[in-house]
Amino acid sequence: MSVLIKGGRIITATDDYVGDIFIEGEKIISIGKQLNVNADTVIDAKDKLVFPGGIDPHVHLEMPFMGTFSSDTYETGTRAALYGGTTMVIDFILQKQGHSLNEALTEWRSRADNNCVGDYSFHMAVTDYNDETKKEIKHIVDEGITSFKTFMAYKGALMITDNQMIGLMEEVKEQGGLVNVHATNGDVIDYLVQKFKDEGKTAPIYHYLSQPEITEAEASSRFADMANYTGCPAYIVHLTCEGALNAVRNATRRNQRVFVETCIQYLVLDASLYENDFEGAKWVMSPPLREKKDAATLWAGINQGLVNVVATDHCPFMWEQKLLGRNDFSKIPNGHPAIENRMELLYSEGVAKGKISLNKFVEVACTNPAKIFGMFPQKGTVAIGSDADIVIFDPNAKHKISASSHHMNVDYSAYEGWELTGKVNTVLLRGKIVIDNNKCLVEKGYGKFIKRKRHALNNSFTS
Ligand SMILES: [Zn+2]
């Protein structure tokens, strides 16, 4: 099976030119001007952008939650991702406290394997670090899961202490991995949540008010200090605000590198949405949406090279599930749906509005996730020998986001009615046309588990 993509404007993190791409099997075989080859399928990409498939390194599909699950399954979530130009996702395995990493790995892979439409991998969330867990790190890395997530909040369920954090960092560094963190001060948040509840304040806006900027800034700084001390490659997930980014900026002053991910919602939405009574529950997530000045900081941070990745933290819940917190903001399931919207929102709000360049768009949505998480150049770029994960994109098409037309398994949209410029036309995943003209052409099971390489801070990441 061969495919020729003709005359598109090919965009990578560094390039921008018009050319043809010839694909055989799962790989890109050649790229050139007017390639003289025969192919089984020819796609005319004139006047279209052609860029690498997006990688969303922060999603929660079928995540166990209070006896139920986040509403997108591995099938519906990865399919919706493909519709939006994201060909690969990295989900999170959550270790149960008192249980092993291996047990969690088996449980999560049994849910995901043979059920994904798009490609996938996992981060391993370490919620209970002890001598037994330490012995498992090498095995998990050998399985191709080379990043370890930690929580500085959610005491008694997910949070680890600084004592455990330092130990984990030393072992992960030794094994060639990377530590990710949810950086917020859990003790301060727990205090504020209780205080508001004692005062009878139950509306969603108190979710926002119980996680002030300082909780994130303090923890980001503490995490950076521990990473600096241990020398472990470090990555802050869903960074939302000026204070936290300044903690990272300060770390650069002692020649430290901390990778930073933000999520699309923190760039395009703000905390005024919490003022609408219970409707604000649609955007209850942790950390919460912030102020307009924080979004401005994040856009600037992307251009300054401080913010490396734009993900989603996709964790959808049906409205009925959100209603669990009708009378108590702390019981609203955290998360919002965005896996399908990330690329088009970032293009429309970022590139089309002149906030970031096309190359930057590809860098933060495709290339950096592949580099940081050990998949480059197999994934994340359009190059000879890379997987043929390709998006053909109409930069001028206008369309509207709506729950009535999206493909995520959730009954509301966090961006209902938004008019976007730029739309995904065709998506290829490992050489196969998977989306064309708003139709998905593959079934669950097509998505493959991608084994990731060890992190190579000093030789593979060069942006
Ligand atoms: Zn998350």
Side-chain angles (χ1 to χ4, degrees):
M1 177 72 189
S2 59
V3 179
L4 178 64
I5 303 172
K6 275 190 84 65
R9 183 176 165 196
I10 300 168
I11 314 289
T12 69
T14 48
D15 307 304
D16 184 345
Y17 56 88
V18 173
D20 300 347
I21 301 170
F22 179 63
I23 297 155
E24 212 161 20
E26 300 196 339
K27 303 284 184 189
I28 296 173
I29 300 297
S30 53
I31 302 173
K33 281 261 179 223
Q34 285 156 5
L35 290 178
N36 188 16
V37 287
N38 290 318
D40 300 326
T41 307
V42 178
I43 301 172
D44 178 9
K46 193 173 177 298
D47 300 324
K48 303 287 194 298
L49 302 179
V50 177
F51 51 76
I55 299 175
D56 188 341
H58 192 153
V59 306
H60 301 276
L61 303 172
E62 249 173 287
M63 189 188 77
F65 171 80
M66 285 172 72
T68 158
F69 290 91
S70 59
S71 62
D72 260 323
T73 62
Y74 286 95
E75 179 183 358
T76 64
T78 56
R79 187 190 297 124
L82 289 180
Y83 274 105
T86 291
T87 48
M88 170 154 186
V89 301
I90 312 182
D91 192 76
F92 290 82
I93 298 172
L94 304 175
Q95 176 196 19
K96 276 196 201 84
Q97 294 185 339
H99 295 256
S100 72
L101 300 181
N102 241 319
E103 220 179 302
L105 171 63
T106 307
E107 184 190 335
W108 255 260
R109 287 209 57 172
S110 75
R111 273 198 292 273
D113 290 356
N114 305 312
N115 286 320
C116 289
V117 188
D119 285 355
Y120 65 103
S121 176
F122 294 104
H123 307 283
M124 173 62 75
V126 178
T127 64
D128 192 3
Y129 188 70
N130 53 44
D131 289 346
E132 292 307 306
T133 319
K134 180 178 176 187
K135 290 184 204 139
E136 292 187 281
I137 300 291
K138 181 177 185 300
H139 168 69
I140 300 296
V141 169
D142 289 342
E143 290 290 307
I145 295 174
T146 54
S147 45
F148 295 84
K149 167 85 177 284
T150 58
F151 293 86
M152 296 168 86
Y154 308 116
K155 209 180 217 167
L158 301 171
M159 181 169 154
I160 60 171
T161 63
D162 291 352
N163 176 313
Q164 293 172 306
M165 181 76 88
I166 287 277
L168 175 67
M169 282 177 164
E170 286 190 335
E171 184 60 19
V172 168
K173 181 195 175 192
E174 185 71 24
Q175 301 305 336
L178 169 144
V179 169
N180 301 4
V181 71
H182 174 126
T184 52
N185 186 314
D187 279 333
V188 174
I189 293 169
D190 288 348
Y191 170 81
L192 291 170
V193 167
Q194 195 54 49
K195 185 180 121 163
F196 289 132
K197 284 168 66 165
D198 289 347
E199 291 168 2
K201 295 169 173 165
T202 61
I205 193 169
Y206 293 99
H207 169 80
Y208 166 64
L209 294 173
S210 61
Q211 299 198 28
E213 181 176 6
I214 193 77
T215 57
E216 203 183 323
E218 183 279 327
S220 298
S221 177
R222 182 158 38 104
F223 174 77
D225 286 346
M226 290 187 279
N228 192 47
Y229 174 71
T230 57
C232 183
Y235 178 102
I236 298 175
V237 305
H238 55 42
L239 185 144
T240 70
C241 59
E242 187 182 15
L245 194 63
N246 282 342
V248 172
R249 201 186 305 273
N250 279 337
T252 67
R253 292 154 67 97
R254 60 186 174 202
N255 305 322
Q256 191 185 356
R257 178 81 200 254
V258 178
F259 297 107
V260 172
E261 164 198 293
T262 190
C263 297
I264 188 68
Q265 59 272 28
Y266 304 118
L267 291 163
V268 304
L269 303 175
D270 67 74
S272 60
L273 289 164
Y274 297 124
E275 286 160 18
N276 306 331
D277 194 32
F278 193 71
E279 207 204 336
K282 288 178 181 171
W283 301 278
V284 162
M285 57 183 80
S286 292
L289 300 174
R290 300 286 185 197
E291 305 294 322
K292 288 198 167 64
K293 60 105 183 158
D294 296 301
T297 297
L298 295 173
W299 284 113
I302 289 175
N303 284 323
Q304 291 163 338
L306 282 170
V307 176
N308 312 104
V309 170
V310 177
T312 59
D313 198 6
H314 175 78
C315 192
F317 290 99
M318 294 288 185
W319 186 241
E320 193 182 300
Q321 293 173 296
K322 287 279 186 183
L323 284 171
L324 290 169
R326 187 80 186 90
N327 301 311
D328 178 353
F329 68 89
S330 71
K331 296 209 164 61
I332 301 170
N334 278 218
H336 96 314
I339 202 168
E340 183 172 354
N341 308 126
R342 178 185 70 126
M343 300 283 283
E344 288 173 342
L345 274 170
L346 187 61
Y347 181 88
S348 188
E349 295 294 306
V351 180
K353 292 190 175 169
K355 289 194 175 82
I356 58 170
S357 71
L358 260 175
N359 297 117
K360 199 46 125 170
F361 165 74
V362 171
E363 185 187 324
V364 296
C366 319
T367 313
N368 280 350
K371 284 181 173 176
I372 294 169
F373 294 114
M375 299 179 283
F376 186 83
Q378 181 192 352
K379 301 284 189 192
T381 193
V382 174
I384 293 165
S386 293
D387 281 3
D389 301 347
I390 293 173
V391 177
I392 300 168
F393 190 86
D394 182 342
N396 302 312
K398 309 264 187 208
H399 63 113
K400 245 188 202 170
I401 297 181
S402 173
S404 62
S405 54
H406 72 202
H407 302 87
M408 299 176 283
N409 185 41
V410 56
D411 53 3
Y412 76 91
S413 170
Y415 307 90
E416 187 66 41
W418 281 44
E419 281 192 45
L420 301 191
T421 301
K423 190 172 185 344
V424 171
N425 280 164
T426 306
V427 179
L428 286 85
L429 172 54
R430 285 180 281 104
K432 206 175 171 74
I433 299 172
V434 291
I435 299 289
D436 197 34
N437 268 326
N438 226 18
K439 276 204 183 68
C440 184
L441 307 176
V442 282
E443 302 288 324
K444 70 174 184 179
Y446 182 69
K448 216 164 87 176
F449 175 76
I450 302 296
K451 266 188 110 164
R452 296 189 283 115
K453 295 178 286 191
R454 285 173 160 72
H455 186 80
L457 183 66
N458 296 317
N459 53 43
S460 84
F461 191 82
T462 52
S463 77

